[in-house]
Amino acid sequence: MSQPSSGGSKPVRAVVVGTAGHVDHGKSTLVHALTGIDPDRLEEEKRRGMTIDLGFAHMDLPSGVRVGFVDVPGHERLIRNMLAGAAGFEAVLLVVASDEGVMPQTREHVDILRFLRIPRGVVALTKRDLVDGEWLELVQEDVRGFLRGTFLENAPIVPVSAKTGEGLAELVAALDQVLARGSSRPAEGPVRLPVDRSFQVAGRGTVVTGTLWSGCVRPDDTLQLLPSGRTVRVRGIQSHGEPVPEVRAGQRVALNLLGVSREEVERGDVLVTPGAFEAATSLDVRLQLLPGTPALRHGDRIRLYLGTAEAIGRAFLLEEAVLPPGETGFAHIRLEQPITAAFGDPFVIRRPSPMLTWGGGEVLRVNPSRPRRRDPVVLVHLRTLESRDPEGVLLVAVEASGTDGSGLPDLVRRTGMAADQIQALLLQARAKGLVWSVRDRWVHASVLHRIEEGILQELSAYHRARPWRRGLPQGEWLTLIRRLAGAVWELVAERVAHRVVADGGFVRLPDHHPVLTPVQAQAVEDLRLWLERCGLEGPSRAEVEQALGSHAEMAIQFLLDAGEAVELRGLLYYGKSVERAIAVISEALQVQAALTVAAVRDLLGTSRKYVLPLLEYADTVGITRRQGELRVAGPKLLRGAS
């Protein structure tokens, strides 16, 4: 049958339909008969009469819908190629030979398509010319029974002969009917194009092909190639061999790229809007095994197929240690090479040896840290993600960002939701007290609560270790908040301030008050009297430590906190003596424009050893300002004079 023509008019829309079925059931021959295009493009395929890699053809249906066919190999040894093509299907043309009926790869292909969430399709019973009517009825009944309970349960079954042309018109009509509803792929979202082929075109450079999963691409667009992260530019676009000004989600596309060589792109790579997706080396997933397969054990090696990518990894079960055949469970998958993945992506797993399709599932979290088995918090989060409740999914994504918080682009990438939907949900959650925002980043209320409790616990521990101190110095308090709260420290500082007491440069819990043992109180009193006697010629810290032993540090710090002692250059001064010395210097500078060190020494009646630290202290507090070898009035003294 020749390809129906659209008369040169633009197709109403484009849909990608993939073939599926057992080897030698006539998939490629049927596509050729429908479209007039031979999808077997390799010389070896033509010589052996067997599809080895993906083939492509297209036709316009009577309704104007353009069908892009992806023809996949049916041989069991080529399942990996079949999977690469199936990732882009929006519908399937399941091919079953009338003379053989349902065969092993028929079953495996249907299992794979179910895991990949292919929503619809048509069944073609090929080689109609080789069987009589009675046999054909038996085959139809067998196929219908096989498909019961699958997504193809109600699919049209059309007997057809590519050789005689019988049934081709009916098959086209069935495809037109099944494909009547619109594409499920979002053209408004970020670009995501899994690459299934890459090659070099003389004079043009690197060309890649694939089915556009989401978004819209135009010439001169800048895209990112994952997992490498390389930036590329779109030089030109073709769809089904024709140059086009743009392509939208659901279409087969060939992109001519600038900024990357043929050797730097391979099947499994993905072209995306920069920053919209991420390369993953770990996934949390919902996993289901096929009935009749071996059980999957904690830590088993797997081959994972997602999009056009294939990666080897290990599956770590998050509930029980064994997942029985036909059962569903949560798992954490660690991959040996990065792939591009997003929340909700379907995937298939195969057993490495012997090779067989083991099961499949969907991605729930991308690049999570490895969770503990039976962690109740993790399991609640995964069940929430599995439910697809928009608010729940969003809150899990916000909570997963921890103290870093999440910006809007992060949340779009992690949830797959549109930015305006996320913003509306965030405002609702904020009104409920479930999330908070700071500097355009959102943090979960439970994360803030954990941070606050951690800060208060550390403050309590500080009080227990130093019951004699007034509290934690303000500077150390801010350092503690920054350490525990990360990017959202300002928000945490504001919230936790209502649960502590600011007390003269210190922060304490409301029920904390300094407490000294009798021995400690005596050490403090001994040091206070010592400093009072010495005045401006106090002892060094080393001398105090030698005199008071293990209580020296406590006594020094207690008096420093109380302002009864001042430490300058390792020397301890009596606090009131320092106040009097500063007053003397201030009065002298109101009379004289400048003072020498010797003049201050004479004014205070002490030696240069004690005067220099005092003058440096006076500089620090703004009473004096050094000018060469002199001291003049500092800003604080000048303000007081004015």
Side-chain angles (χ1 to χ4, degrees):
M1 182 177 180
S2 61
Q3 176 181 337
S5 171
S6 60
S9 61
K10 184 178 179 181
V12 174
R13 57 186 177 83
V15 177
V16 173
V17 175
T19 64
H22 196 74
V23 64
D24 202 30
H25 275 205
K27 296 185 293 297
S28 301
T29 303
L30 180 59
V31 170
H32 193 179
L34 286 169
T35 66
I37 300 170
D38 185 359
D40 285 340
R41 53 191 172 81
L42 303 178
E43 185 59 39
E44 184 180 357
E45 292 176 318
K46 300 180 186 299
R47 186 176 68 253
R48 297 172 61 182
M50 183 181 79
T51 300
I52 296 172
D53 204 352
L54 304 178
F56 309 96
H58 62 277
M59 65 180 294
D60 292 346
L61 296 176
S63 64
V65 172
R66 174 159 291 182
V67 177
F69 285 104
V70 178
D71 186 36
V72 305
H75 198 285
E76 62 178 334
R77 294 198 303 270
L78 300 170
I79 287 290
R80 60 188 298 182
N81 290 345
M82 180 270 174
L83 279 156
F89 294 179
E90 252 189 279
V92 63
L93 178 59
L94 178 65
V95 176
V96 181
S98 297
D99 59 338
E100 290 190 336
V102 175
M103 297 290 283
Q105 263 56 65
T106 315
R107 298 179 184 279
E108 187 167 19
H109 283 198
V110 170
D111 285 335
I112 287 170
L113 296 171
R114 176 166 63 86
F115 284 124
L116 295 180
R117 299 200 299 262
I118 308 303
R120 52 190 166 166
V122 175
V123 182
L125 296 183
T126 56
K127 305 185 182 182
R128 165 69 183 87
D129 55 295
L130 299 183
V131 300
D132 58 28
E134 185 178 353
W135 180 264
L136 185 62
E137 286 184 17
L138 290 173
V139 172
Q140 284 181 291
E141 185 178 339
D142 180 52
V143 170
R144 184 62 72 194
F146 161 64
L147 295 176
R148 193 167 292 120
T150 74
F151 71 100
L152 292 173
E153 181 174 15
N154 298 313
I157 298 178
V158 183
V160 65
S161 170
K163 182 177 180 181
T164 67
E166 181 182 357
L168 289 179
E170 289 80 2
L171 182 58
V172 169
L175 283 167
D176 220 354
Q177 181 182 6
V178 167
L179 301 178
R181 68 178 186 270
S183 170
S184 60
R185 299 194 181 277
E188 296 75 25
V191 171
R192 189 178 184 189
L193 176 67
V195 174
D196 54 37
R197 278 197 305 159
S198 64
F199 49 91
Q200 196 84 10
V201 175
R204 301 292 294 176
T206 302
V207 174
V208 301
T209 69
T211 299
L212 189 58
W213 279 20
S214 63
C216 178
V217 181
R218 299 178 181 88
D220 292 324
D221 280 355
T222 297
L223 299 176
Q224 185 179 29
L225 184 67
L226 294 178
S228 70
R230 180 183 293 274
T231 299
V232 300
R233 188 165 64 85
V234 178
R235 181 179 184 181
I237 306 174
Q238 287 192 0
S239 184
H240 303 302
E242 300 175 359
V244 291
E246 70 171 25
V247 284
R248 300 174 71 80
Q251 290 182 260
R252 286 292 304 173
V253 58
L255 300 183
N256 184 198
L257 301 179
L258 294 174
V260 66
S261 67
R262 157 67 186 86
E263 294 73 26
E264 293 171 312
V265 191
E266 59 185 16
R267 177 177 290 177
D269 289 347
V270 185
L271 286 166
V272 302
T273 299
F277 297 92
E278 58 185 312
T281 55
S282 65
L283 305 168
D284 283 346
V285 303
R286 177 186 56 76
L287 186 61
Q288 181 179 11
L289 297 190
L290 289 169
T293 60
L296 187 145
R297 300 181 183 280
H298 184 71
D300 273 349
R301 284 172 65 82
I302 61 168
R303 285 184 181 270
L304 181 137
Y305 300 84
L306 194 158
T308 57
E310 173 187 5
I312 296 173
R314 289 188 182 274
F316 299 96
L317 300 175
L318 298 181
E319 294 168 290
E320 304 302 325
V322 177
L323 185 62
E327 295 297 314
T328 300
F330 295 121
H332 176 79
I333 296 177
R334 302 290 298 183
L335 301 170
E336 294 180 7
Q337 51 274 134
I339 63 171
T340 302
F343 169 68
D345 280 353
F347 64 86
V348 171
I349 63 167
R350 303 195 80 216
R351 197 178 186 192
S353 180
M355 286 287 283
L356 57 84
T357 299
W358 212 343
E362 69 173 332
V363 173
L364 299 178
R365 298 200 295 189
V366 177
N367 286 328
S369 56
R370 181 174 171 179
R372 301 188 311 273
R373 196 191 311 167
R374 297 176 181 158
D375 184 323
V377 174
V378 170
L379 293 177
V380 167
H381 284 176
L382 295 181
R383 291 188 187 103
T384 301
L385 293 171
E386 186 181 21
S387 75
R388 296 298 189 98
D389 170 63
E391 183 180 76
V393 168
L394 179 61
L395 290 176
V396 168
V398 173
E399 187 169 1
S401 66
T403 58
D404 292 333
S406 297
L408 188 59
D410 303 321
L411 296 173
V412 169
R413 185 176 65 249
R414 291 173 187 162
T415 65
M417 291 189 278
D420 55 353
Q421 181 186 10
I422 290 174
Q423 287 175 317
L425 288 171
L426 285 171
L427 291 177
Q428 293 173 19
R430 176 66 179 85
K432 298 174 186 177
L434 300 175
V435 295
W436 295 77
S437 63
V438 57
R439 297 194 311 278
D440 297 324
R441 299 193 72 78
W442 293 84
V443 62
H444 199 280
S446 67
V447 172
L448 291 177
H449 179 72
R450 286 197 299 271
I451 297 170
E452 290 171 24
E453 293 305 311
I455 289 170
L456 295 178
Q457 287 172 12
E458 290 212 19
L459 182 56
S460 178
Y462 188 89
H463 290 334
R464 289 194 300 274
R466 303 167 183 81
W468 44 269
R469 289 207 78 174
R470 289 171 61 183
L472 185 66
Q474 186 73 36
E476 294 181 39
W477 168 249
L478 292 177
T479 299
L480 171 63
I481 293 176
R482 286 190 174 102
R483 173 168 60 84
L484 293 183
V488 295
W489 75 268
E490 293 161 299
L491 177 60
V492 172
E494 181 182 342
R495 285 167 56 94
V496 80
H498 302 295
R499 304 177 65 182
V500 298
V501 176
D503 182 8
F506 296 87
V507 176
R508 60 176 175 83
L509 293 173
D511 60 352
H512 172 75
H513 300 283
V515 176
L516 295 173
T517 67
V519 174
Q520 289 174 330
Q522 186 60 56
V524 168
E525 185 60 22
D526 289 345
L527 180 57
R528 181 188 291 112
L529 293 173
W530 186 1
L531 296 181
E532 188 176 7
R533 287 196 305 272
C534 293
L536 293 178
E537 298 181 351
S540 68
R541 176 177 282 267
E543 289 171 328
V544 174
E545 289 171 351
Q546 185 175 7
L548 298 183
S550 61
H551 298 297
E553 178 61 32
M554 178 277 306
I556 292 171
Q557 195 63 62
F558 188 89
L559 292 180
L560 289 174
D561 291 349
E564 295 186 70
V566 177
E567 184 174 14
L568 304 173
R569 278 199 189 182
L571 297 174
L572 292 166
Y573 296 73
Y574 186 52
K576 290 184 178 179
S577 297
V578 172
E579 291 176 11
R580 288 193 291 269
I582 293 297
V584 169
I585 295 171
S586 299
E587 290 172 4
L589 284 173
Q590 291 174 9
V591 177
Q592 298 176 243
L595 295 172
T596 63
V597 173
V600 174
R601 180 197 61 198
D602 294 341
L603 282 171
L604 299 179
T606 187
S607 69
R608 185 181 180 89
K609 171 185 175 181
Y610 298 103
V611 165
L612 286 176
L614 277 169
L615 286 174
E616 289 172 0
Y617 174 73
D619 293 342
T620 301
V621 297
I623 295 298
T624 58
R625 181 170 60 84
R626 184 170 180 174
Q627 195 175 74
E629 295 300 316
L630 301 175
R631 289 303 196 286
V632 297
K636 186 175 180 180
L637 194 60
L638 291 173
R639 283 197 300 271
S642 62

